[in-house]
Amino acid sequence: MSYISVLSYTRIVTSVVFLVWYILMVSAAYFGFVEILLKFNRRPNLSNDRDENDKYEGVTIIRPIKGIDPELSSCLESSFCQNYPSDKLEILFCVDDPNDASIPLIKKLIAKYPNIDAKILISSNFDPTTNSSDDHYGPNPKVNNLAKGFVASRYDILWVMDSNVWASSNILKNSVISLNDNLNNGRKQSDTAKRTVKLVHHVPLALSVNPTGDSKDEQEYVLTPTHSDDDSETSSSSSITKSTRKRFLKNFGAKLDEMFLLTSHSKFYVSLNNLAIAPCVNGKSNIYRKSDLDRSVALMPHYQEKSEFFHDEKVVNDAKYYSSLGPGHSIKFFSRYIGEDNMIGIALWENALGKTGLTGDVVIQPLSGSDNGINDYITRRVRWLRVRKYMVLLATLVEPTTESIICGLYGNYAISTLFMNRWFTWWLFALHLSIWVVTDYVQYHVLINNIVSPRNLDYLPNWLINIPPVNRSVWNWLYMWALRELLALPIWVIAMFGHEIDWRGKPFKIKKDLTAEEL
């Protein structure tokens, strides 16, 4: 009698289900990994056969700004340094507060590049006591700020880019070619397919800049005991002091974000985009046509019955209203959502038969490595998990199963049960984790190579010339990788048992219809 026959029915069924799910998750992970190896090993430089006049279509870059983010000047300057004809470029800096600290910095950049059409757009009738203006269409402050840029834009192609990210010089050219030629990572998509590329986006990464604890001396100071000349303190010298421990943990937030975005997130982000089952969009850097978005919002009433997200009567009435105001006003419709990037992707997917496309480029958010703690990282991850919980509930519920430890545990249970007649196999789990960590290490450095390889690059800020990840030891990397993996499940649990999020210093509650309510 086979040992399978003596196993409980429940155990067999759960083992088969877990095995199937394990295979799916591992396949999705390594599908993204292989694509990153092939298409992100260096910065791309796409080209097409169009003549010079048709190749470069006019583009409006819109950057919403509030306050001073780390390395703000160089992030904004990257918009001026695109390998793109200056007479086909418009840059709009959207600011709410006329006294915003970023305005003098932006004025200096505009003066530095007089050949590029750039201007600052300030919201009307801003009230500093309430931190609001007449440009208020919903609870999303980013969309409220962006709206004036959409309406004022000269060109149909819009590049909406957060103020705190930096882009290399070929990204705009690559993106316009991808948008017009229906490309994803340089590959031509089928012209007979139902959907074509309507939104081009870029893999978002983060770097811990000006971090402490990366140099050898600082590592020794942080990780070794603090000795005293006083014999009375010898007994306590073997432990890390409270102040040293505080310093040790203080700078981990940026490194954890960096690790998350360069490993787990980018792997599945690239994979899901290529699978094209549904739109998967991060709003750090997106390029699409204003006319496509306007048409998508205008068509919502016609597809009301079929839409999973835009069927509520008030939603449909607002879509009608904003569509009636003219070109560019449709962006105001999305001010009701905190995750406007994902909802724009869904609108283009449902009503413009659009899909998303990557270019093989990344955009980089510099994060302060000296005052960015673990709690800051946890707060950021919890915030976006809570937003996603209402937008893509099923995907958020199964997210822990995409992480190395949980994925390894249920995969190990399935394989051990079905093929080894045991509950758990340590060597199999060790093999799973070893393969996962090696592929993450390789992927991490492939993306770092994409960042530091200045192919056709005219502008490289100081913080990118010698970035810390290049010089980190394997053990330093492994320590941060393990900490990130161990925190994944606790962060998910915290996010699931809560509804409030903090956005730019304001508390919001996400409602079941995906809209946000400011508290």
Side-chain angles (χ1 to χ4, degrees), residues 121-384:
L121 303 181
I122 299 176
S123 297
S124 58
N125 299 323
F126 182 82
D127 185 352
T129 59
T130 60
N131 198 31
S132 62
S133 68
D134 289 347
D135 297 345
H136 184 87
Y137 313 102
N140 188 318
K142 177 181 174 181
V143 175
N144 291 332
N145 194 9
L146 278 172
K148 51 186 172 288
F150 273 66
V151 175
S153 59
R154 289 169 50 198
Y155 300 115
D156 190 35
I157 296 182
L158 306 179
W159 183 7
V160 182
M161 189 181 184
D162 282 1
S163 62
N164 57 9
V165 293
W166 178 90
S168 60
S169 295
N170 276 336
I171 284 187
L172 180 56
K173 178 173 70 72
N174 292 340
S175 301
V176 172
I177 291 174
S178 297
L179 185 67
N180 287 332
D181 291 358
N182 194 26
L183 305 180
N184 178 48
N185 283 331
R187 299 189 190 94
K188 178 73 173 177
Q189 306 300 290
S190 173
D191 291 328
T192 60
K194 178 181 178 182
R195 301 184 184 278
T196 58
V197 172
K198 298 290 186 180
L199 186 151
V200 176
H201 53 141
H202 313 106
V203 175
L205 303 179
L207 286 179
S208 172
V209 298
N210 64 293
T212 57
D214 277 320
S215 70
K216 182 179 178 182
D217 291 341
E218 284 186 311
Q219 285 179 26
E220 289 175 352
Y221 172 77
V222 169
L223 297 175
T224 57
T226 303
H227 297 282
S228 171
D229 293 331
D230 189 343
D231 291 339
S232 65
E233 295 183 16
T234 303
S235 61
S236 63
S237 65
S238 61
S239 62
I240 302 176
T241 66
K242 184 179 293 186
S243 61
T244 303
R245 186 184 296 112
K246 184 177 181 181
R247 180 183 175 189
F248 182 55
L249 297 176
K250 187 178 181 182
N251 65 355
F252 274 20
K255 288 183 179 179
L256 287 167
D257 267 311
E258 178 185 287
M259 184 62 67
F260 169 65
L261 290 170
L262 270 82
T263 56
S264 178
H265 183 271
S266 54
K267 180 190 309 174
F268 283 99
Y269 193 75
V270 171
S271 179
L272 292 173
N273 178 77
N274 282 355
L275 291 171
I277 299 171
C280 178
V281 180
N282 178 289
K284 288 293 180 185
S285 178
N286 296 167
I287 293 181
Y288 46 84
R289 291 184 179 276
K290 179 169 58 178
S291 57
D292 282 337
L293 189 62
D294 288 343
R295 186 170 69 257
S296 295
V297 174
L299 287 173
M300 284 178 185
H302 301 280
Y303 296 106
Q304 179 181 5
E305 300 299 326
K306 299 179 181 179
S307 176
E308 180 182 354
F309 300 95
F310 307 115
H311 58 267
D312 182 82
E313 200 62 37
K314 187 178 186 310
V315 169
V316 171
N317 288 335
D318 283 352
K320 290 179 182 177
Y321 171 71
Y322 287 121
S323 298
S324 69
L325 298 180
H329 288 276
S330 59
I331 187 62
K332 299 173 183 177
F333 167 84
F334 296 95
S335 64
R336 67 199 329 115
Y337 308 106
I338 288 296
E340 83 291 333
D341 45 7
N342 190 61
M343 300 310 292
I344 287 172
I346 291 172
L348 292 171
W349 176 278
E350 287 190 350
N351 301 332
L353 293 180
K355 61 185 292 187
T356 63
L358 296 170
T359 64
D361 290 293
V362 302
V363 292
I364 309 158
Q365 179 181 355
L367 294 171
S368 173
S370 59
D371 59 353
N372 204 318
I374 289 181
N375 188 59
D376 298 312
Y377 167 74
I378 293 174
T379 300
R380 286 190 291 269
R381 292 288 298 121
V382 166
R383 179 175 69 228
W384 289 115

